[in-house]
Amino acid sequence: MGGPLQPLPSSVGTQRPTSVRYHVLAAACAAAIIAYIHRVGFSSALPEIKKSLDIGDLGASWLTALFLIAYGIFEIPAGLLGDRFGVRKPLTAIVLGWSVLTGCVGLIAWLPRTAGLAFGALLLLRFMFGACQAGGFPLLGRMIADWMPLTERGTAQGCIWMSTRFGGLVVPHLLLMLTAYVGGWEPALWLLASLGVLWCGVFWWRFRNRPEELPQVNFAECALIAAGRGPRPSHAAVPWGRLLRSRSAWALCLMYTFGGFAANFYVTLLPTFLADHRRLSDDNVKWLSSLPFACGMVACVSSGVISDWIIRRTGNRKWGRRLNGVFGMAMGSVAWMLVNVVHEPWLLGLMLCVVFVGNDLSIGPAWAAAADIGERYAGTLGGAMNMLGSFAGALGNLVAGWLLPVAPEWVFIIYGCSFALAAACWLGVDVTKRVTEE
């Protein structure tokens, strides 16, 4: 159990804190929405891309796996950039990069189909897209560590991940509408890309790396944000030895590894599975691909709110972060297995929603735990966590691409076991053991 939170300095007096941190949180949520609109937008278009380029299940799984491999490779470098230089410059650059690359997917239609040129170009674009998106959530994690009080971090992370689910919810419908309006999925992707370009302009103009750098933030808000934090070292070097010796850091990363192995199926291969293997109608594919994200919105924000509420109510930071994750991953494990035995579309949709809710009950507390354990190095730890989850997700996609044509039931048995291991790993996460204090 963690010690009591430090009170605000008496010098704050009766001054009421400003609320600039919530404007920063709104900007982070907008970036998360755009990230998933662009990420899931490709997955929503993938069945049409498969037909256009004559790609099979294994080829589609390589497209999604290569994105995740690049995503994993560049996670820690992006987190290091945020920890060392701040968030403003690198986040603006990567959002602009992944937005342009989203539009460039539409150019594949102009390439000749001979000699695998179009498919090779698409593989390259997916790798570059993954490299850019890799920095998104480590840098947003760094933002939350810098801008949100300790007792609001779980809620803030829940809001960010709720926003990703909102992006995943709307994009199948949005892409379908834009495709009908402009006459094809290729120009529709350019319209989606413009959202990121607009966000970059506003973010660069309004955001600064630390609360004290903005004159609109008063002393009371700065003190509120700083209350209860661990020490902030004056040096910028990452204490790799402490990170590698931290049982909590390892448990958190392994939890995200086992969870990511299965959960990435939703943002990569789910529409393809529903269309090509369950033989569902386009309308059913659209709804069953988006409904889990609607449920995930509720689960993400609830997980963060509940986690912070437990901490405020009991003072037990350890179980305040653990409890949602253990329960959610265990519930998701059972639901993965049940995917094999349900056949009616509404039952299949229910199981897919239960899995996603179980996963998302873990998301807000996981990223809040990365900030709690890492503090000054929250971006680096978040990057390591997301890196391992991405590599595992790439492996999970390749396993799915190999097994779906021959033994699809084994895909969901393996995914269920992976979630069960993730639930067990949560028991090793202790957020009272900060890396900066070990």
Side-chain angles (χ1 to χ4, degrees), residues 105 207 240 412:
V105 171
F207 178 75
W240 290 110
F412 303 105

Side-chain angles (χ1 to χ4, degrees), residues 205-230:
W205 171 47
R206 297 286 293 174
F207 178 75
R208 296 297 180 270
N209 287 323
R210 301 287 291 276
E212 55 269 26
E213 295 175 8
L214 271 179
Q216 295 93 332
V217 182
N218 66 9
F219 180 79
E221 186 173 20
C222 284
L224 176 66
I225 291 169
R229 288 185 173 183

Side-chain angles (χ1 to χ4, degrees), residues 142-413:
R142 173 75 266 157
M143 280 176 65
I144 295 306
D146 285 335
W147 275 92
M148 300 302 293
L150 187 147
T151 54
E152 297 179 12
R153 285 176 179 172
T155 302
Q157 287 290 353
C159 288
I160 289 173
W161 286 95
M162 177 194 71
S163 300
T164 67
R165 281 31 182 171
F166 177 75
L169 168 67
V170 301
V171 72
H173 308 276
L174 182 60
L175 185 63
L176 189 65
M177 181 186 68
L178 291 175
T179 299
Y181 181 73
V182 298
W185 59 267
E186 299 91 339
L189 289 179
W190 279 108
L191 292 177
L192 295 182
S194 66
L195 296 173
V197 177
L198 178 63
W199 182 91
C200 288
V202 176
F203 180 76
W204 180 260
W205 171 47
R206 297 286 293 174
F207 178 75
R208 296 297 180 270
N209 287 323
R210 301 287 291 276
E212 55 269 26
E213 295 175 8
L214 271 179
Q216 295 93 332
V217 182
N218 66 9
F219 180 79
E221 186 173 20
C222 284
L224 176 66
I225 291 169
R229 288 185 173 183
R232 289 183 174 271
S234 58
H235 60 84
V238 175
W240 290 110
R242 294 178 188 174
L243 279 171
L244 292 172
R245 290 193 301 270
S246 171
R247 189 188 74 170
S248 293
W250 274 106
L252 188 64
C253 289
L254 287 173
M255 180 280 300
Y256 222 72
T257 299
F258 290 121
F261 178 85
N264 275 292
F265 182 82
Y266 279 83
V267 294
T268 53
L269 292 176
L270 178 59
T272 301
F273 164 72
L274 295 173
D276 295 349
H277 296 277
R278 285 299 178 97
R279 306 294 183 187
L280 298 180
S281 67
D282 290 344
D283 196 50
N284 278 333
V285 170
K286 178 182 68 176
W287 282 106
L288 266 63
S289 297
S290 60
L291 277 177
F293 289 95
C295 297
M297 288 176 61
V298 178
C300 279
V301 72
S302 298
S303 70
V305 170
I306 292 170
S307 177
D308 285 344
W309 179 83
I310 293 172
I311 291 173
R312 287 194 298 267
R313 182 80 173 177
T314 68
N316 192 322
R317 293 171 54 214
K318 183 190 300 184
W319 280 100
R321 295 293 186 234
R322 278 180 182 173
L323 198 59
N324 288 359
V326 173
F327 174 77
M329 286 298 184
M331 180 177 70
S333 173
V334 175
W336 271 127
M337 305 280 191
L338 292 177
V339 167
N340 283 324
V341 298
V342 297
H343 302 288
E344 292 293 327
W346 73 270
L347 276 175
L348 175 61
L350 178 62
M351 290 303 104
L352 291 173
C353 287
V354 171
V355 170
F356 210 65
V357 166
N359 178 75
D360 283 4
L361 284 173
S362 190
I363 290 291
W367 284 88
D372 292 345
I373 296 168
E375 283 289 354
R376 173 68 177 80
Y377 311 103
T380 303
L381 180 55
M385 180 177 77
N386 218 14
M387 175 193 72
L388 292 173
S390 299
F391 286 155
L395 179 60
N397 278 3
L398 292 175
V399 168
W402 174 51
L403 287 177
L404 280 175
V406 293
E409 66 279 359
W410 276 101
V411 174
F412 303 105
I413 292 172

